[in-house]
Amino acid sequence: IFKKAQQSLKSNEKNNQNQKSQEVKQEIIPVVILDEIGLAEISPNNPLKILHSLLESTHGKQQEIAVVGISNWALDPAKMNRAIYLSRPRPSTEDLKQTAIEIFKGIQKDVNELPVIVEDLLDKISVSFYEFSKFQNEQAKIDQNLEWRSDFHGLRDFYNLIKSIAINLSKNKNQISNYAILKAAQRNFSGNSVSYEKLASILMEKLGLEKK
């Protein structure tokens, strides 16, 4: 009788575990994240067509897989109409400045309030990037020699520029030379013959430096 009771108890525990496992499975929905999904959109083989069935719920059932796509441009309407579309506008100068401040605070974690000189510098760099980005995209529309390309340099380059400057500031007690600023800009905005020259020109103007 004791053995049968033990077997019954183990069986009941196993059933409870199975039931809990099934309940957990019902609560969990796997998510597939497709970064830079727009690159697959331009393929002649149309590999994203398989998403049509995944993005549609059949017979009123909950979808078994959730799909999140991240792209720098809109996909074709057949996919857009099957999903929730979230569009992020280009950041303003204030957005860029706030992001730069948070990056700086992330590197200098013991800083609660930025020195005025540092905040002023981040403001000038943010405005410089904003003007550069606007000029870059406008030139890409009219440039026949393909020297300028839309978003060739984007937010990642700006973030890395701020990180480079923030690290330099943290090492030198919030002091940084104009040469170091321009060197960081050159490191992050090279890649073609015109980008760095334009950004450097804007930066020098904002920093009050004379062009040589």
Side-chain angles (χ1 to χ4, degrees):
I1 296 174
F2 178 72
K3 286 184 179 180
K4 287 184 178 180
Q6 279 187 321
Q7 290 174 355
S8 177
L9 181 61
K10 288 181 179 179
S11 177
N12 187 47
E13 288 177 354
K14 189 174 182 180
N15 289 334
N16 288 336
Q17 288 177 355
N18 290 337
Q19 186 175 356
K20 289 180 180 179
S21 177
Q22 289 176 359
E23 290 175 355
V24 170
K25 285 181 180 179
Q26 289 177 355
E27 295 176 359
I28 296 176
I29 299 176
V31 179
V32 177
I33 298 178
L34 302 175
D35 193 12
E36 297 291 357
I37 191 174
L39 297 178
E41 180 77 2
I42 62 178
S43 171
N45 298 320
N46 197 15
L48 297 181
K49 192 173 183 180
I50 192 174
L51 290 178
H52 292 183
S53 59
L54 291 176
L55 295 175
E56 288 183 339
S57 56
T58 56
H59 306 295
K61 294 182 179 179
Q62 185 178 4
Q63 291 176 248
E64 296 180 357
I65 299 176
V67 179
V68 177
I70 303 173
S71 175
N72 286 325
W73 56 81
L75 306 181
D76 72 86
K79 297 174 189 65
M80 302 281 283
N81 293 337
R82 290 176 165 87
I84 298 174
Y85 172 58
L86 298 177
S87 178
R88 187 185 67 178
R90 292 186 180 278
S92 64
T93 53
E94 187 61 26
D95 292 332
L96 293 170
K97 179 183 176 181
Q98 289 302 317
T99 303
I101 290 174
E102 292 305 318
I103 291 174
F104 181 87
K105 288 181 177 179
I107 292 173
Q108 294 196 20
K109 297 181 179 179
D110 56 335
V111 175
N112 294 322
E113 188 173 347
L114 269 66
V116 176
I117 188 172
V118 173
E119 188 170 350
D120 182 62
L121 174 60
L122 296 179
D123 180 63
K124 290 176 179 177
I125 294 173
S126 299
V127 173
S128 297
F129 172 74
Y130 180 84
E131 293 183 6
F132 165 82
S133 181
K134 185 177 179 181
F135 179 86
Q136 173 183 241
N137 294 330
E138 288 175 351
Q139 285 297 115
K141 296 176 182 178
I142 60 175
D143 183 23
Q144 300 295 326
N145 298 322
L146 299 179
E147 286 186 313
W148 289 99
R149 296 185 181 182
S150 179
D151 293 319
F152 182 83
H153 288 292
L155 288 173
R156 289 180 183 177
D157 301 302
F158 171 72
Y159 299 154
N160 286 324
L161 170 61
I162 296 298
K163 286 179 182 178
S164 300
I165 292 174
I167 291 171
N168 194 303
L169 286 166
S170 65
K171 290 180 179 179
N172 297 286
K173 298 180 179 180
N174 290 332
Q175 299 293 323
I176 187 171
S177 66
N178 293 322
Y179 172 79
I181 295 172
L182 293 173
K183 194 68 177 177
Q186 184 180 33
R187 180 176 183 178
N188 291 285
F189 286 84
S190 296
N192 60 29
S193 60
V194 290
S195 292
Y196 168 68
E197 293 179 5
K198 181 61 182 177
L199 179 61
S201 175
I202 299 173
L203 271 173
M204 291 174 71
E205 179 185 345
K206 302 300 179 187
L207 296 172
L209 304 176
E210 295 183 2
K211 298 179 182 178
K212 296 183 179 180

